[in-house]
Amino acid sequence: MEELDRRITEQGDLVRSLKSSKADKDKIAAEVATLKALKAEREALAPSDKAAAASGPSTPKPDDKKAKGGFTLKNAKGTKDYTPQEMAVREKIFATIIKVFKKHGGITIDTPVFELKEILSGKYGEDSKLIYDLEDQGGEKCSLRYDLTVPFARFLAMNGKEYQNIKRYHIAKVYRRDQPAMTKGRMREFYQCDFDIAGTYDPMIPDSECLRVLTECLTALDLGDFTIKINHRKILDGIFEVCGVPTDKTRTISSAVDKLDKLPWEEVRKEMTEEKGLDPKAADLIGEYVRLKGGEELLERLYSDAKLSNSPRAVEGLDDMKLLFKYLNVLNVTRYTSFDLSLARGLDYYTGLIYEAVLEGSAPPTLANGEKARATMKKGTDELDESTVGVGSIAAGGRYDNLVGMFSGTNKKGQPNLVIPCVGISIGVERVFSILMQKQKRDEIKSNEVEVYVVGLGGVEVEERMKICTELWDAGIKAEFAYKLKPRTQNQWDVCDRDMIPFAVIVGGDEISKGLVKIKDMRTKDESQKGGLEYPRTEMISELKKRLAEL
């Protein structure tokens, strides 16, 4: 009965959520039917059960975990714990990305995990509903940060005199009240790795370097073949203008176009016309443009388009893209890109170049009829069915020239007091992590960095093993020993195998008295080493460093 009540409550929440978000009517009707069926099932229960249901939740049984003062042991929705093996992979991802960021002159900052609510409000378009609002604490209304870009713009607005020009990177957690798909790296709490260039420079030079940084990161992470889709907000706005989209609908129609990587054109058109009130003729004209993609050659086609050539905004965007391709060719980046007019990026703050990186396996699964699967919910829950969604983009970004000015206030002429143009990239660590974990076997992941294990034989006192470890640590070598006075020899070998420690330093009573140690390569199981090769104690450090340098 309790399980049935829980399912009814969850289904009711789902129906209310779909109605409030104005979801597809057929989907709402289907979920309402499920809710009615669950309620009918409860009504069909025996009278005694109905009476118990009417009286409220059942009394916990004596052996109920709650009755014993325990807790419900589960992760909050959209979050997870990471094992040592998983953290080893994640730390490698961070190190790889940071190395690229620093190679391009990046310096790091940090900002609070929550911001004043007014700082975040109105910056994310339709996705603003995904912001986590916090309880009022002492008169300040705050929200958890949705991304790292808006906090960076706020930082520049507060410190603009000192940081007129900065290459900044920031790796930190952000929060979104999205529907999670855990195995695809879509979560409510996740890391972003951002690299941004702020300052006034000649056109498209910083933009092209950001794309170079992105290609270096994705190549170094060894994720497989990837494509960076690129577009320009001014081109897109010019298309909407010549197709007859009212100015007040530009951003909402842009958000619909951005779904073309997940939905067929027919459904996107339906959203434009039926949900957002766009003239069907305007939608059809938009469809002729946004389904175009290609390379540098697409520029000439757009330049020669009679409609677009009459839009100064579109021509300005095309000029930017022409210059961008010139620089991308020099930086050896063009081969990774696709000029894709369906790319819109739903966030409101983008003003120019926009881009998004996808892998071959990023898209949703393909159905038998050749169409992409549409994301659906697990029956009876408000969670996504992960078999119907893809990983999505693994990185994205673009130019946002006006965001800092939004926080700086205005002068008597109504102009921002401070203007700092910016362009940047953001890499989604969770999606990268989910892909890399699928490629690796957990038992092949080394979760610690210990290089040497000190093995004591024949009852060697712990103090002797401590002395050797101290010598190793003083020399900068990562080492461990057993925390037992008289450890079993086999247990020490087992630790080496379990933690994939490459070398063992072996000491027994005879070795200590003669000033010797034995060094054994634990990666090889041949008989040539036997119990290890003997070296004078004075040569232990130099021999180990030589071997470690060869790893």
Side-chain angles (χ1 to χ4, degrees):
M1 185 66 194
E2 287 182 19
E3 174 63 18
L4 186 55
D5 282 339
R6 183 189 66 78
R7 291 173 60 192
I8 290 172
T9 299
E10 290 181 348
Q11 187 67 16
D13 290 341
L14 172 59
V15 170
R16 284 188 289 275
S17 173
L18 291 173
K19 288 181 177 179
S20 64
S21 62
K22 297 181 180 178
D24 182 77
K25 293 180 180 179
D26 292 340
K27 182 168 183 57
I28 293 175
E31 298 301 343
V32 168
T34 300
L35 178 59
K36 289 181 177 178
L38 289 171
K39 288 182 176 180
E41 183 179 345
R42 188 171 68 174
E43 286 296 320
L45 291 173
S48 58
D49 288 335
K50 285 197 283 187
S55 66
S58 60
T59 303
K61 297 177 182 178
D63 60 348
D64 194 315
K65 184 182 292 186
K66 289 286 187 180
K68 292 181 179 179
F71 297 90
T72 301
L73 297 179
K74 57 172 285 187
N75 292 102
K77 184 177 178 180
T79 67
K80 69 166 291 185
D81 299 319
Y82 293 95
T83 66
Q85 290 81 6
E86 290 173 330
M87 283 306 300
V89 174
R90 292 171 70 79
E91 287 184 342
K92 185 176 180 181
I93 292 171
F94 291 138
T96 300
I97 292 172
I98 289 173
K99 184 177 180 181
V100 175
F101 288 171
K102 287 185 174 181
K103 183 168 68 172
H104 287 264
I107 57 176
T108 191
I109 68 166
D110 197 10
T111 62
V113 74
F114 55 88
E115 297 275 349
L116 293 176
K117 184 176 180 178
E118 64 184 35
I119 295 292
L120 304 183
S121 298
K123 310 302 187 302
Y124 304 106
E126 293 183 0
D127 285 345
S128 292
K129 63 180 180 292
L130 303 181
I131 294 174
Y132 268 107
D133 292 330
L134 303 177
E135 292 288 342
D136 188 338
Q137 298 289 340
E140 287 189 341
K141 293 184 178 180
C142 297
S143 302
L144 293 177
R145 62 187 173 202
Y146 178 91
D147 65 5
L148 301 178
T149 304
V150 170
F152 176 51
R154 189 265 307 152
F155 171 88
L156 290 176
M158 292 175 64
N159 303 279
K161 291 183 179 179
E162 186 176 356
Y163 299 105
Q164 285 282 327
N165 302 291
I166 182 176
K167 281 184 179 179
R168 152 275 197 188
Y169 74 87
H170 190 186
I171 297 179
K173 287 182 176 180
V174 299
Y175 299 85
R176 299 182 184 179
R177 293 180 60 252
D178 206 350
Q179 292 299 341
M182 305 294 284
T183 62
K184 305 299 173 66
R186 294 174 58 174
M187 305 174 70
R188 289 185 166 184
E189 177 191 61
F190 56 96
Y191 274 94
Q192 284 188 336
C193 297
D194 282 21
F195 179 91
D196 295 79
I197 302 176
T200 301
Y201 302 99
D202 286 335
M204 308 314 291
I205 297 176
D207 309 62
S208 60
E209 183 171 2
C210 279
L211 288 171
R212 170 72 194 198
V213 169
L214 180 54
T215 59
E216 286 187 23
C217 286
L218 299 183
T219 301
L221 289 168
D222 193 23
L223 298 170
D225 293 338
F226 61 88
T227 299
I228 303 174
K229 298 190 290 185
I230 58 177
N231 198 5
H232 200 293
R233 268 286 173 84
K234 291 182 179 179
I235 296 176
L236 204 57
D237 289 348
I239 289 172
F240 294 156
E241 179 185 0
V242 302
C243 290
V245 177
T247 304
D248 62 345
K249 291 185 181 294
T250 297
R251 288 283 78 90
T252 186
I253 296 302
S254 177
S255 177
V257 169
D258 202 41
K259 297 175 183 176
L260 277 171
D261 63 333
K262 305 179 185 71
L263 301 175
W265 164 248
E266 291 72 21
E267 292 196 38
V268 172
R269 182 185 183 279
K270 182 178 179 181
E271 178 178 331
M272 288 180 178
T273 56
E274 296 184 13
E275 295 181 25
K276 299 182 175 177
L278 184 66
D279 186 318
K281 293 182 180 179
D284 291 337
L285 288 174
I286 292 172
E288 295 177 11
Y289 288 105
V290 297
R291 285 180 283 183
L292 297 176
K293 63 180 67 176
E296 207 169 349
E297 75 286 347
L298 182 56
L299 276 175
E300 296 306 317
R301 177 174 176 178
L302 297 175
Y303 268 123
S304 62
D305 185 280
K307 295 176 183 175
L308 277 187
S309 61
N310 288 323
S311 169
R313 187 181 303 180
V315 171
E316 188 177 342
L318 290 171
D319 290 344
D320 274 352
M321 293 297 286
K322 183 176 182 179
L323 189 56
L324 176 72
F325 274 115
K326 175 183 176 182
Y327 296 145
L328 293 183
N329 288 333
V330 175
L331 296 175
N332 294 323
V333 175
T334 308
R335 59 197 172 107
Y336 297 106
T337 63
S338 170
F339 187 9
D340 191 331
L341 292 184
S342 71
L343 179 65
R345 302 290 297 141
L347 302 180
D348 279 0
Y349 51 65
Y350 288 124
T351 58
L353 178 70
I354 49 177
Y355 34 82
E356 186 173 275
V358 295
L359 299 176
E360 186 175 337
S362 293
T366 302
L367 301 176
N369 60 6
E371 293 184 359
K372 295 173 184 174
R374 183 170 184 175
T376 57
M377 313 297 282
K378 292 180 183 176
K379 189 172 182 180
T381 74
D382 61 346
E383 297 181 9
L384 280 173
D385 179 349
E386 298 185 23
S387 67
T388 66
V389 295
V391 172
S393 62
I394 55 173
R399 174 160 289 279
Y400 52 104
D401 288 345
N402 302 329
L403 190 54
V404 176
M406 293 175 66
F407 298 125
S408 66
T410 56
N411 56 26
K412 293 180 180 179
K413 296 181 180 180
Q415 300 170 329
N417 289 319
L418 179 67
V419 175
I420 301 180
C422 302
V423 62
I425 61 173
S426 182
I427 300 172
V429 170
E430 315 311 331
R431 299 184 179 189
V432 170
F433 171 74
S434 69
I435 292 166
L436 290 180
M437 286 304 293
Q438 291 172 17
K439 297 170 65 175
Q440 299 195 41
K441 296 180 179 178
R442 288 179 182 263
D443 58 2
E444 295 177 356
I445 299 172
K446 181 172 169 58
S447 59
N448 65 42
E449 297 187 11
V450 175
E451 299 164 319
V452 177
Y453 197 82
V454 179
V455 176
L457 303 180
V460 169
E461 293 184 355
V462 69
E463 288 88 342
E464 293 297 336
R465 289 179 280 129
M466 283 182 172
K467 287 178 184 178
I468 292 178
C469 254
T470 300
E471 289 181 46
L472 297 174
W473 294 332
D474 288 345
I477 295 173
K478 300 163 186 171
E480 280 189 333
F481 64 97
Y483 291 170
K484 283 187 173 291
L485 296 177
K486 296 182 179 180
R488 292 179 56 193
T489 302
Q490 186 57 49
N491 289 348
Q492 296 175 83
W493 298 135
D494 290 344
V495 171
C496 293
D497 292 337
R498 183 196 68 201
D499 293 344
M500 292 181 271
I501 299 172
F503 298 106
V505 169
I506 307 161
V507 289
D510 291 342
E511 284 83 11
I512 292 171
S513 63
K514 295 177 182 179
L516 300 173
V517 296
K518 291 182 178 179
I519 298 176
K520 184 174 183 178
D521 188 335
M522 299 303 297
R523 298 166 301 164
T524 61
K525 303 300 180 182
D526 58 65
E527 293 298 319
S528 62
Q529 299 184 99
K530 296 184 178 178
L533 303 179
E534 281 189 345
Y535 294 89
R537 177 84 166 260
T538 55
E539 296 178 11
M540 175 182 69
I541 299 297
S542 59
E543 177 63 24
L544 283 170
K545 285 195 170 183
K546 183 178 73 173
R547 294 192 183 204
L548 290 169
E550 295 172 354
L551 289 179

